[in-house]
Amino acid sequence: MPVYYYIVLAIALFSIGVIGVLTRRNAIIIFMCIELMLNAVNLLLVAFSKMHNLATVAINPTAASDAQIFVFFIMVVAAAEVTVGLAIIVMLYRNTHSVDVNFLNRLKN
């Protein structure tokens, strides 16, 4: 499969994520959109890794694992981000009974 299919899919996923982060007010949906953007980057990393290391894999089988290590690192960071973010959202909901992020503007004063 040509790599530009992956690029188009990743651009679409990343665009949906950016639009969701910029337009939505629900904190949970914002987190889901951030995860969508991270997965778009993961998709591109794996696709480019496969494209660039296709010739070297025959010589060195461990050469294509660099991008997979980065993807694993991004997944770990995303899991940590979700853990901290959901804890913040739960505490926000307990105190305000809403997950609207516009309420956080009151923290400025």
Side-chain angles (χ1 to χ4, degrees):
M1 184 180 293
V3 74
Y4 60 86
Y5 289 159
Y6 296 109
I7 294 172
V8 170
L9 178 62
I11 289 171
L13 289 174
F14 197 84
S15 299
I16 291 170
V18 168
I19 290 170
V21 167
L22 294 177
T23 59
R24 303 298 275 187
R25 294 181 180 172
N26 190 336
I28 294 173
I29 293 177
I30 290 172
F31 271 121
M32 288 172 35
C33 291
I34 290 171
E35 292 294 322
L36 204 57
M37 289 190 290
L38 290 173
N39 284 326
V41 172
N42 285 340
L43 179 66
L44 279 181
L45 278 173
V46 172
F48 286 137
S49 172
K50 183 157 178 83
M51 182 182 75
H52 288 293
N53 293 326
L54 200 58
T56 60
V57 169
I59 300 168
N60 186 6
T62 61
S65 63
D66 293 342
Q68 294 171 0
I69 292 171
F70 280 121
V71 168
F72 181 71
F73 181 72
I74 290 172
M75 290 169 82
V76 169
V77 170
E81 174 248 338
V82 166
T83 304
V84 172
L86 285 179
I88 291 171
I89 290 172
V90 167
M91 292 307 295
L92 177 71
Y93 183 76
R94 282 185 182 175
N95 291 328
T96 64
H97 298 290
S98 173
V99 289
D100 188 7
V101 292
N102 285 334
F103 180 74
L104 297 176
N105 286 335
R106 294 182 185 175
L107 295 176
K108 292 179 182 176
N109 299 328

